[in-house]
Amino acid sequence: MSPANRSSADRPAGAEAAPQASGTGLVVLVGMGPGDPGLLTLRAAAELGRADAVVADHARVHPEIMAHCRADAEILDSAAGDPVKLAVKAARAGRRVVRLFQGDPGLACGLAAEGGALAKAGVPIEVVPGVSAVTGVPGYAGIPLTDPKHREVRVIDAGDGAVDWEKFAKTDATLVILGAEGIVAEVAKALVAVGRPDSTPAAMTGAGTTTEQETVVSTLGRLAADAKGMEAPALIIVGDVVNWRDKLSWFENKPLFGWRVLVPRTKEQAVSLSDQLRAYGAVPDEVPTISVEPPRTPQQMERAVKGLVTGRYEWVVFTSTNAVRAVREKFTDYGLDARAFAGLKVAAVGEQTAAALVEFGIQPDLMPSGQQSSEGLAEVWPPYDEDLDPINRVLLPRADIATDTLIARLTELGWECEDVTAYRTVRAAPPPAPIREAIKGGGFDAVLFTSSSTVKNLIGIAGKPHNVTVIAVIGPQTAKTAEEYGLRVDVMADKPSVSALAEALAEYGAKRRAAQVEAGDPLRKPSQMRRGARRRK
């Protein structure tokens, strides 16, 4: 349940709104973490769900964070005006306002300045701490700030210069330095000048906690040269704790870390696959290649559903999750539910379809024992027996472009098949120009093809993927189609499910990474292998 829809009983402890006097507003200063939207706290999510207005630098806020806001909440872009003035005006209008900060509001952020200005204006405030870059980024880099030998941490904000480095000469204290992206050499020289050995371990992490994260491990004497070109925001860690990274690095070691992966499916189907890819460290980009639409004439499906209820069929065969969805929607139109399947035998072509049926409340009676396809289902289908089967009719609610292989086999076994168009698949509109350019120009590290139609439709609406792009397919038929279109197939799932496909790509990525490490080569994604790709210096 999203925070926007929670009842008061569902809110996390401490998240209850404070009583507000009639006509007065409130500004809640909320930390949203250093980058990963998964680091947003429960309290922060709850406040976004209650806010009438949200003040934030909209371009720097992840869409997943903004998804916690109510649909009617007004978004006030701090990049277009003074955030304090925007918050004050909204609060004086009696509104509940959330002011979003990167990281934690009280640490190297705007709590003191903006909170003080709000207090001076007489506007009530609350503070919701967030995960700070000071702790979050080292954690994602695999560097603990303390260990049994090092118990002191000093945080330095070097963003405005004028740092008294003599105060940080103590050699056993861990230093976390913010705002030093453009002055790395000066910072390192200053620390060496006050007594820190130039051999002191040092690390710099850019774009921390995001899939663009990059960490360079070096020493004070070499850090400026080794981290040259690193993009902001970046953070420096100085001290022996940096040596833990070899054992504790986890985020950047994910098998598909930072890979941009194209997921050419319908929007509804892409969600679970994209979630799994993110767990492997990838950045999925969902590009619909087909659109699922109702049949042009609904009468055929209406008659089929009535036949289900009146006992016209012995079997119902579902060959896709779209077919399950189409029948379920038609059931809803008639006020029916899964109980209407009582007495019927139900077959599913594979695990994904079976899962959709179980969610509907139906347990399949038959599934392929080997290949999860229409051919696999045909191999295990029982012959019609007039003594055991009172009815010989089989209903197949399918797409308008379904093949006849299964029907031919069932007919040979003595069954009478009724092939009903439950939905139509039509080619989607071309994706935006930047996506098309990335596909043809090698901007994607991998493309996942979940059917032959996704191969044909993607090439039809966006062009052929670049030859550096890893091509992953769900099964032999899809591989054959990809090769017919001139694509080199690099990965094939061991069984035809989207989950197995994502897992196979992750295994490929892990092996590729291990080979680069063993060869002593720099870690480079497939997209960085194309001519003209940006390389780390």
Side-chain angles (χ1 to χ4, degrees):
M1 181 182 295
S2 68
N5 295 324
R6 282 195 179 116
S7 68
S8 59
D10 295 320
R11 289 173 184 146
E16 190 62 50
Q20 290 176 235
S22 178
T24 65
L26 171 74
V27 177
V28 187
L29 306 169
V30 173
M32 59 179 171
D36 182 354
L39 294 178
L40 191 74
T41 68
L42 291 173
R43 173 84 191 280
E47 288 295 347
L48 284 169
R50 281 199 288 271
D52 301 307
V54 177
V55 179
D57 185 344
H58 196 260
R60 298 183 62 190
V61 182
H62 197 285
E64 286 185 32
I65 290 178
M66 298 307 292
H68 290 281
C69 300
R70 297 199 320 257
D72 62 342
E74 183 179 9
I75 310 302
L76 304 171
D77 195 345
S78 61
D82 184 332
V84 174
K85 290 181 179 178
L86 292 172
V88 168
K89 182 178 179 180
R92 285 179 174 168
R95 307 171 80 189
R96 189 176 185 89
V97 183
V98 162
R99 166 64 170 130
L100 282 176
F101 291 92
Q102 202 82 25
D104 178 80
L107 189 53
C109 213
L111 176 58
E114 293 193 27
L118 289 165
K120 185 177 180 180
V123 175
I125 67 167
E126 290 184 7
V127 177
V128 178
V131 175
S132 171
V134 171
T135 55
V137 172
Y140 271 53
I143 301 174
L145 297 182
T146 64
D147 63 16
K149 294 182 180 179
H150 307 87
R151 310 303 295 272
E152 184 180 357
V153 180
R154 309 287 298 276
V155 180
I156 306 166
D157 185 353
D160 58 357
V163 177
D164 183 357
W165 294 105
E166 288 282 356
K167 295 180 179 179
F168 308 104
K170 187 177 178 182
T171 58
D172 60 350
T174 300
L175 303 183
V176 180
I177 306 170
L178 307 171
E181 294 91 342
I183 54 171
V184 179
E186 292 86 338
V187 167
K189 288 178 182 177
L191 287 171
V192 171
V194 297
R196 291 258 179 171
D198 62 3
S199 59
T200 302
M204 188 167 181
T205 298
T209 79
T210 75
T211 49
E212 298 299 316
Q213 177 174 305
E214 179 181 17
T215 300
V216 170
V217 174
S218 184
T219 63
L220 273 180
R222 290 284 311 163
L223 185 62
D226 291 345
K228 186 177 181 181
M230 183 172 287
E231 297 180 5
L235 172 150
I236 297 173
I237 305 168
V238 178
D240 290 342
V241 294
V242 170
N243 293 327
W244 283 100
R245 177 172 160 83
D246 286 343
K247 295 180 180 179
L248 301 181
S249 178
W250 63 275
F251 187 52
E252 292 168 64
N253 285 349
K254 289 192 171 189
L256 300 177
F257 180 77
W259 282 37
R260 189 181 180 194
V261 179
L262 183 68
V263 183
R265 310 192 75 205
T266 62
K267 193 71 173 178
E268 296 78 10
Q269 293 173 321
V271 175
S272 61
L273 178 56
S274 293
D275 287 344
Q276 188 175 355
L277 289 169
R278 289 189 189 97
Y280 294 132
V283 184
D285 210 326
E286 298 167 3
V287 176
T289 57
I290 61 172
S291 177
V292 176
E293 298 182 1
R296 287 191 175 89
T297 55
Q299 290 83 2
Q300 194 181 29
M301 263 292 281
E302 289 171 358
R303 285 195 300 269
V305 170
K306 290 176 182 177
L308 282 173
V309 177
T310 58
R312 177 175 173 79
Y313 308 105
E314 180 77 6
W315 282 92
V316 183
V317 182
F318 290 97
T319 57
S320 70
T321 56
N322 285 326
V324 177
R325 184 180 301 110
V327 170
R328 190 170 181 175
E329 288 174 354
K330 190 59 69 174
F331 267 43
T332 300
D333 291 343
Y334 284 108
L336 299 171
D337 57 28
R339 289 173 294 183
F341 280 83
L344 279 165
K345 296 174 186 175
V346 178
V349 77
E351 293 177 0
Q352 301 293 126
T353 304
L357 283 167
V358 170
E359 185 183 347
F360 188 14
I362 302 165
Q363 188 66 44
D365 300 285
L366 183 67
M367 286 178 58
S369 56
Q371 181 182 357
Q372 295 186 15
S373 65
S374 294
E375 291 82 358
L377 187 58
E379 289 177 3
V380 298
W381 196 273
Y384 172 68
D385 187 325
E386 61 182 9
D387 294 326
L388 299 176
D389 303 307
I391 305 168
N392 76 332
R393 274 188 214 91
V394 179
L395 173 64
L396 291 94
R398 305 192 298 169
D400 56 336
I401 57 172
T403 60
D404 294 331
T405 306
L406 182 59
I407 291 178
R409 175 59 178 157
L410 267 56
T411 302
E412 289 176 5
L413 293 170
W415 295 95
E416 179 185 333
C417 298
E418 289 191 11
D419 189 13
V420 174
T421 299
Y423 61 93
R424 293 184 300 122
T425 56
V426 298
R427 181 177 288 180
I435 296 291
R436 299 198 303 273
E437 292 165 7
I439 291 171
K440 293 182 285 188
F444 283 100
D445 297 289
V447 177
L448 300 188
F449 288 117
T450 56
S451 66
S452 292
S453 63
T454 57
V455 177
K456 299 172 185 175
N457 289 336
L458 181 71
I459 292 174
I461 65 175
K464 186 176 170 182
H466 193 279
N467 60 12
V468 301
T469 305
V470 174
I471 305 299
V473 301
I474 201 166
Q477 187 58 49
T478 306
K480 181 181 178 182
T481 303
E483 289 165 353
E484 288 173 352
Y485 277 81
L487 299 178
R488 176 200 69 251
V489 175
D490 303 290
V491 179
M492 186 165 69
D494 59 2
K495 57 182 179 180
S497 75
V498 293
S499 178
L501 178 57
E503 185 176 347
L505 181 63
E507 290 175 0
Y508 176 91
K511 290 177 181 177
R512 185 179 185 279
R513 180 188 181 90
Q516 290 178 333
V517 171
E518 185 176 353
D521 295 333
L523 296 177
R524 298 175 66 196
K525 298 180 293 185
S527 61
Q528 293 173 317
M529 305 300 288
R530 71 191 192 279
R531 184 177 298 175
R534 186 179 71 87
R535 301 187 185 187
R536 285 277 307 147
K537 297 180 180 179

